[in-house]
Amino acid sequence: MSRLLIASNRLPITIQPEGDGFELRPSSGGLATALRGPHAKGDGLWFGWPGDVSLATPEQRARIDAELVERRLVPIDLTAAEVAHYYDGFSNGAVWPLFHYSLDKVRLEAREDWVTYQHVNQRFAEAIAARTQPGDLVWIHDYHLMLVPEYLRRLVPGARIGFFLHIPFPAADVFRILPWREEVLRGLMGADLLGFHTGEYLTNFARSAAQVLATDLDVDVLRWADHSVRLGTFPIGVDAAAFAADSPEVDAELAALRKNTAGRRLILGIDRLDYTKGILRRLLAFERLLEGDQTLHERVQLLQIAVPSRESIDSYADLRKEANELVGRINAAHGTPTRVPVHFLYRSVPFEQLVALYRAADIMLVTPIRDGMNLVAKEYCAARTDGGGVLVLSEFAGAADELREALIVNPYDLDAVERTIGAALQMPEEERRLRMERLHARVLEADVARWHRRFVDELERVPVLPARNAVEGGRSLSEEVSRLREAPSLLVLLDYDGTLVPYAMMPELARPDPELQSLLGRLAARPGARVHVLTGRTPASIERLLGEQPVGLCAEHGYWCRPDPTRPWTVRVTGSLGWKEPVGALLADLAARTPGAFVEEKTSALAFHYRAVDPTLASARVHELRARLAAEARTDIELLEGSRVIEVRLPGVSKSIVAAALIADMPAGTAIFAGGDDRTDEDLFSALPPEAVSVRVGRGRSLARFRVDDVSAFRALLGALV
Ligand code: GDG
């Protein structure tokens, strides 16, 4: 088992002022509860905000830090301004309402919010990078930290990074409202594995990524340029055994509750006081029920527990006021001196009381207007070891996917909610038992431990890159460049597109500018140096661009090579090209039916380009192409997938083969420098001896020892070699 590093907005404990000192309390909420147990059993670290400790004296702080170290918790301290902008502002003022389809509550005005969100995400990434060891798994949680995967990937290119979203991922049309949609998607795409509660959220994400970033979905792998991310559904569970367990404390609470409700059926709601939880609509539906049956208040009581939440945000304070007014109205109209139909508690209750409430409740109302999963629904089913109770569940909670035996309801349809509560009150015992026994069994089996295991097992499948890519130890890039500058013999192997020049709209436009021409000229003129450009382009195409330069050219990934401008092109790989005709006909047929697609013919390959094709259609066509080629079971071709292009080529052509040959041509002890930006350059890197200096341009997991952000940074490195 690899070591697991967890990152979430909050640590599983919160530090609060208490008397003269500070006290550590367990944080509330589903995420902290879900991960606390496995963290305690493992040997990993947990990064997050510990709460406001700005007023602690140095001695108090030292004591707090010692306690955190003891529990393997790494604090990310936030200033009051950071909490206001990153947490209240961006996370809960913009992302939370947008992802829950509450468009009227989305706040996008404050420029500081987004800037601070980026800044805090960067701090998380730096803290994690500083503690990551080779082989570690990093698991980042939730909408507060959506940029951390990308930021961390930049700092630790080989890291194995998983991300889980605890809230819904909205439909693409809604997501696209976010002005920073592209940055957020790029951030998430830094991960190797992205987890969602339901298939719908996963599909929404994949569609948004296709529309905004032009990614391709291949079953469950999202490809973007040269980087691929696995998508998965991991519906979270609850600590079901804890809710199913008997204890004298729970029994005592239950007895007290039964005494108080004497004779009346208990309808229960338990939620954080949040506008997504549908509390107001639930109260309205209950009001209708009371209006329809004037004697009902004698027989039922609604207990709504609303746990205080995000009180510094206006919309939450407003909600509390509205809920109070509504409860007042209902109680005034339907209460009697001895009977109050709605009991509204604005606080949380201890665990034993929570379990007792679940067991006492004849009907549990879980009617959010949107909810990622909703753990309360699952906890209720787990607690019902007696097979009693009826769950009324919103179709807009992720839990509705699994808890099919609940009474599923549309929370916007007040009449339906009213009718459903009525039906729940009338439900015959046998049906009630049948439904609850199934629900109970399911939540016990699919519990939180299983959720944790499934995600971590999947993340563990991401391959560990060879140790020589580890960032720690060894010489820095600038030290390596200085060493190469002095080397008597130097071999420079370079990719072209994306490495020496940025990608252009059309390949013909990616011309070398004067700066690049002078750079290549100086490099090739350096005593003892040989420079080769290795590209996927055809000989004619690369020659048009670099033909005048005193460098070697290898085209079609090494099928063709031309060692210098005075020598002719020669073929480096043999093999029959008889497949080109039938495969060419297949590709032409596909392209004819796919607006925006075209086929490029090379000597050793045929490339199907679909950059301009509608993403859904493109993905269907790529599947079709793969299936049709697989059906022919050809052994004389291989597929190479690039950024919105799929190439069918002669097997055995690879930059690794040319690289090995070019290295063998040089005197022993030659220093090597190589740079590239895509999957074919990984072949190149794989052929290099360990002491070679390899540099990856841009994102993505890589075998390269070093990484630079973009073409201009790469050119600066080349400049430093001469
Ligand atoms: C987010 C997503 C997703 C509540 N009141 C008391 C209390 N609780 C506990 C419940 C439950 C947790 O808080 C609430 O979890 P939910 O899932 O209902 O809601 P969010 O906080 O919005 O959580 C949600 C979840 O993340 C996990 O992925 O399901 O969709 O929004 O565990 O028991 N616990 C105690 N007293 C209370 O009064 N002891």
Side-chain angles (χ1 to χ4, degrees), residues 250-273:
V250 171
D251 289 345
E253 289 288 351
L254 186 56
L257 275 168
R258 293 233 161 96
K259 208 168 131 220
N260 279 335
T261 47
R264 289 202 290 172
R265 316 271 297 275
L266 179 64
I267 304 181
L268 180 66
I270 298 186
D271 314 80
R272 273 189 310 101
L273 187 64

Side-chain angles (χ1 to χ4, degrees), residues 5 128-129 132-138 140 149 152-162 190-193 227 459 462-465 469-471 700-702 707:
L5 311 187
I128 301 167
T132 306
Q133 296 165 7
D136 282 351
L137 301 175
V138 183
I140 299 156
L152 179 60
R153 172 76 59 213
R154 280 198 200 142
L155 297 169
V156 191
R160 295 192 287 172
I161 306 174
D192 297 294
L193 173 65
H227 180 54
L459 188 54
V462 175
V464 184
L465 291 179
N469 302 294
V471 269
R701 281 163 68 81
S702 177
R707 165 184 311 266

Side-chain angles (χ1 to χ4, degrees), residues 172-243:
D173 278 1
V174 170
F175 175 74
R176 293 212 323 263
I177 292 173
L178 190 69
W180 306 279
R181 59 206 183 175
E182 191 174 329
E183 288 87 340
V184 165
L185 289 171
R186 282 174 184 277
L188 292 170
M189 290 294 288
D192 297 294
L193 173 65
L194 284 175
F196 303 89
H197 285 306
T198 73
E200 183 190 320
Y201 307 158
L202 184 155
T203 311
N204 289 344
F205 174 80
R207 273 204 77 81
S208 301
Q211 290 177 8
V212 178
L213 298 180
T215 54
D216 285 316
L217 183 63
D218 174 8
V219 192
D220 61 346
V221 176
L222 201 56
R223 294 186 205 284
W224 183 39
D226 50 319
H227 180 54
S228 52
V229 180
R230 185 170 293 279
L231 307 182
T233 52
F234 303 90
I236 198 171
V238 296
D239 184 359
F243 286 92

Side-chain angles (χ1 to χ4, degrees), residues 300-313:
V300 300
Q301 181 184 29
L302 173 63
L303 169 59
Q304 174 66 52
I305 299 196
V307 181
S309 179
R310 306 176 193 169
E311 288 163 293
S312 51
I313 301 175

Side-chain angles (χ1 to χ4, degrees), residues 25-47:
R25 294 223 192 102
S27 304
S28 58
L31 187 156
T33 323
L35 296 166
R36 191 177 284 128
H39 173 72
K41 280 185 222 129
D43 59 351
L45 302 171
W46 190 328
F47 300 78

Side-chain angles (χ1 to χ4, degrees), residues 375-629:
L375 299 179
V376 167
K378 291 190 167 180
E379 291 166 3
Y380 179 64
C381 300
R384 296 315 297 240
T385 45
D386 61 343
V390 180
L391 174 64
V392 174
L393 179 61
S394 160
E395 67 185 74
F396 297 116
D401 271 20
E402 293 165 273
L403 306 182
R404 302 310 302 174
E405 292 82 2
L407 297 184
I408 307 283
V409 69
N410 173 0
Y412 290 92
D413 184 347
L414 290 186
D415 290 336
V417 178
E418 179 202 344
R419 263 198 320 275
T420 308
I421 301 174
L425 285 167
Q426 307 287 328
M427 188 182 286
E429 206 213 310
E430 190 191 355
E431 180 181 346
R432 208 165 61 206
R433 181 168 299 278
L434 271 175
R435 286 175 183 265
M436 189 47 80
E437 281 172 356
R438 292 251 179 106
L439 291 169
H440 178 74
R442 188 154 328 120
V443 297
L444 249 79
E445 193 194 320
D447 68 353
V448 68
R450 193 177 87 159
W451 169 76
H452 189 272
R453 210 166 42 239
R454 281 192 58 227
F455 191 93
V456 172
D457 283 355
E458 191 67 46
L459 188 54
E460 193 109 48
R461 278 192 207 117
V462 175
V464 184
L465 291 179
R468 72 183 170 94
N469 302 294
V471 269
E472 22 175 11
R475 282 181 287 257
S476 71
L477 181 53
S478 63
E479 285 166 342
E480 287 288 38
V481 168
S482 312
R483 177 172 72 86
L484 262 47
R485 195 167 36 223
E486 307 305 325
S489 171
L490 174 67
L491 176 65
V492 180
L493 304 175
L494 303 168
D495 170 49
Y496 184 72
D497 295 277
T499 302
L500 293 178
V501 293
Y503 285 102
M505 180 60 180
M506 284 173 286
E508 295 81 357
L509 296 177
R511 304 206 124 270
D513 49 275
E515 180 200 51
L516 178 61
Q517 292 180 354
S518 132
L519 195 55
L520 289 175
R522 278 185 291 140
L523 206 52
R526 173 200 184 282
R530 292 285 294 132
V531 180
H532 295 270
V533 172
L534 283 60
T535 173
R537 288 174 179 254
T538 61
S541 157
I542 192 68
E543 197 152 43
R544 253 194 312 275
L545 303 173
L546 293 180
E548 307 292 304
Q549 294 295 326
V551 299
L553 297 178
C554 291
E556 299 190 19
H557 305 304
Y559 181 81
W560 290 102
C561 282
R562 191 216 66 178
D564 64 65
T566 63
R567 312 252 290 276
W569 286 94
T570 54
V571 168
R572 303 287 299 234
V573 186
T574 52
S576 157
L577 296 172
W579 53 267
K580 276 181 76 184
E581 204 186 311
V583 172
L586 193 161
L587 293 182
D589 166 56
L590 227 51
R593 290 184 285 120
T594 313
F598 68 95
V599 179
E600 179 194 8
E601 177 163 6
K602 305 182 183 183
T603 320
S604 61
L606 294 168
F608 181 74
H609 291 267
Y610 54 93
R611 180 162 299 279
V613 178
D614 167 76
T616 316
L617 181 64
S619 135
R621 289 297 186 260
V622 169
H623 281 155
E624 182 183 341
L625 172 59
R626 271 202 226 102
R628 286 174 67 180
L629 289 175

